[in-house]
Amino acid sequence: MTPAPIAVALDAPDLDTAARWASLTAPHVTTLKVGLELYLRYGPDVVAAVREAAGPAPVELFLDLKLHDIPATVAGAARSVAGLRPAYLTVHASGGPAMVRAAVEAAPDARVAAVTVLTSFGDADLDVIGLAGPASDAVRRLAVLAVGAGARALVCSPREAAAVRAEVGPDVVLITPGVRPEGAAAQDQTRVATPRGALAAGADVLVIGRPITGAPDPAAAAAEIARSLRD
Ligand code: C5P
């Protein structure tokens, strides 16, 4: 069975849990995502542990560090993790074009994925931080900026995927968190869609965390979402 275009968000409190989730879900998905919670606690060890737990499954590593700093610092950070050979490395598009380009040049083998607007954000949240909304406009503006600076992937809500695709064309990988199977709780995500809805909107990779990792049987949950995408 071909694995589904899902990046499982391994937002685990410890290495053993992350490794268990990785081994259970790797046969069903293309990508495993290591984020701040694990990376800040364990550093490169977590990448090795996840790869080992995934076994022979040909999964890609998504390093979701959401870098955001001055260009020189982001370049240094990207260089620090480039040796881990992540397929994707995230930066915040709101860091601006020079910062995005610094990451692209420092980690040339990774696809730098620019986060547009967090999927936990709604229009009111943008207002509070003084960013011109609505969210859909901010997402499009940041997407164009990031791709112009060399980002080869973008992180956006499935609700904005179609509009972003229209702006940036077919070659940019669109990654969408905020994916919730029919009937699942949205939790802290605001701009959500179902897995099939996200793909139909033009997403290439669906980031799914708690609906899989919080399920009593993460392997079964991943397999079921993968099956729903094949139907
Ligand atoms: O558990 P859940 O499916 O909500 O996990 C979503 C994952 O996607 C989390 O790891 C979160 O950090 C990440 N993410 C997000 N929104 C973005 C970028 C990344 O939710 N814009």
Side-chain angles (χ1 to χ4, degrees):
M1 206 92 74
T2 40
I6 294 171
V8 179
L10 302 174
D11 295 324
D14 58 70
L15 211 57
D16 289 348
T17 307
R20 188 164 57 83
W21 290 346
S23 72
L24 288 171
T25 60
H28 306 291
V29 302
T30 55
T31 313
L32 296 174
K33 183 172 90 67
V34 169
L36 289 170
E37 182 173 359
L38 278 178
Y39 197 80
L40 291 182
R41 188 168 299 214
Y42 300 105
D45 288 352
V46 69
V47 172
V50 162
R51 283 215 171 101
E52 190 186 326
V59 281
E60 294 194 308
L61 178 77
F62 180 158
L63 206 47
D64 189 13
L65 302 183
K66 297 193 178 71
L67 302 175
H68 190 171
D69 209 312
I70 60 171
T73 301
V74 165
R79 219 176 289 122
S80 292
V81 296
L84 300 174
R85 294 177 292 106
Y88 299 97
L89 172 65
T90 49
V91 303
H92 273 288
S94 54
M99 191 210 78
V100 173
R101 188 165 297 287
V104 168
E105 288 172 359
D109 296 332
R111 290 190 199 89
V112 167
V115 177
T116 54
V117 175
L118 293 173
T119 43
S120 54
F121 261 51
D123 291 344
D125 299 298
L126 280 185
D127 210 41
V128 167
I129 63 162
L131 208 70
S136 52
D137 288 356
V139 167
R140 271 186 292 148
R141 196 168 66 233
L142 290 163
V144 169
L145 166 165
V147 170
R152 288 194 280 158
L154 292 166
V155 183
C156 65
S157 145
R159 305 246 186 116
E160 284 114 32
V164 169
R165 179 65 76 203
E167 293 278 356
V168 301
D171 298 333
V172 176
V173 179
L174 291 193
I175 301 170
T176 60
V179 176
R180 291 290 179 267
E182 207 82 59
Q187 290 145 326
D188 57 352
Q189 298 286 13
T190 301
R191 302 185 337 274
V192 299
T194 63
R196 284 166 67 109
L199 280 193
D204 298 300
V205 180
L206 315 181
V207 175
I208 307 180
R210 291 161 290 178
I212 291 175
T213 57
D217 181 348
E224 171 55 25
I225 297 174
R227 189 200 56 72
S228 79
L229 292 176
R230 275 191 291 268
D231 284 349

